[in-house]
Amino acid sequence: MPNSTTEDKNAKTLTLYTEADTQRLAAQLVALPLTGSVWLAGDLGAGKTTLTRYWLQALGHAGAVKSPTYTLVEPYSIEQKDGSVKPVYHADLYRLQDPEELSFIGFDEYLDEPNALVIIEWASRADSYLPPPTLFIDMTQATSTDKDNESRQVELRLSKAGQAQGLDLSSVKI
């Protein structure tokens, strides 16, 4: 079955049919010079953590990728091919009770760190606290009676900040 895609430099909708498609998407996200935050939205089981795991691996992380559901944030310092280190923070705000909790753990420091990428699952739980992201990624499980066809719709949208950085989603294809 061919993968469907809509074309636009600021927004794109993709259908992921397999975990390999998710892995390919993650590899293409690495090609975008993303800094700042990326908000991952989607129901439980939509594939947010799986996408993040493949994204971290595509960035060069070789170890395990733990879900930060209980710790809120997992930090990664990923050595790049040019010898530099890319700071990446994977946050999961699903269990966040109050957005002010983020100030207590120093979350602002992650967002202010130069060249850092902060991937945030369930950012909507703190959208009043967080600055706008660079990129929104919305993941939706397709409803199907066929258990073998658990496809996902993925919508990528650049924010005004992402557009101002000159990012372009037109090259992202599955």
Side-chain angles (χ1 to χ4, degrees):
M1 181 177 254
N3 295 316
S4 59
T5 304
T6 59
E7 293 293 328
D8 184 339
K9 76 179 224 175
N10 296 321
K12 179 156 300 217
T13 301
L14 306 166
T15 301
L16 307 177
Y17 293 100
T18 65
E19 198 163 322
D21 288 344
T22 304
Q23 194 169 14
R24 278 190 288 280
L25 173 59
Q28 291 183 50
L29 290 171
V30 168
L32 296 172
L34 284 166
T35 59
S37 67
V38 173
W39 292 9
L40 288 177
D43 291 335
L44 288 171
K48 299 178 299 294
T49 301
T50 300
L51 175 61
T52 302
R53 181 178 66 242
Y54 284 129
W55 196 346
L56 288 164
Q57 291 170 350
L59 280 165
H61 178 68
V65 175
K66 297 188 295 185
S67 174
T69 301
Y70 294 100
T71 58
L72 290 183
V73 180
E74 285 292 332
Y76 299 89
S77 294
I78 303 173
E79 188 168 338
Q80 302 298 283
K81 291 177 183 164
D82 65 3
S84 66
V85 174
K86 174 81 171 171
V88 180
Y89 301 95
H90 177 202
D92 183 335
L93 306 185
Y94 182 74
R95 298 194 184 285
L96 189 71
Q97 298 297 313
D98 183 336
E100 291 300 312
E101 289 176 50
L102 295 175
S103 67
F104 298 128
I105 65 167
F107 198 82
D108 294 350
E109 293 176 26
Y110 305 136
L111 297 167
D112 293 339
E113 189 171 345
N115 196 35
L117 176 61
V118 184
I119 302 168
I120 307 172
E121 296 183 42
W122 299 96
S124 61
R125 296 194 184 264
D127 60 0
S128 62
Y129 178 87
L130 297 169
T134 303
L135 177 67
F136 295 94
I137 301 176
D138 295 317
M139 302 182 77
T140 310
Q141 274 183 288
T143 53
S144 172
T145 56
D146 180 4
K147 289 285 185 202
D148 293 330
N149 181 16
E150 297 230 353
S151 65
R152 282 147 175 72
Q153 288 289 122
V154 178
E155 181 188 353
L156 307 169
R157 280 182 297 116
L158 290 175
S159 67
K160 291 194 185 307
Q163 292 173 37
Q165 289 179 19
L167 297 174
D168 183 347
L169 298 176
S170 62
S171 65
V172 178
K173 296 182 182 6
I174 299 298

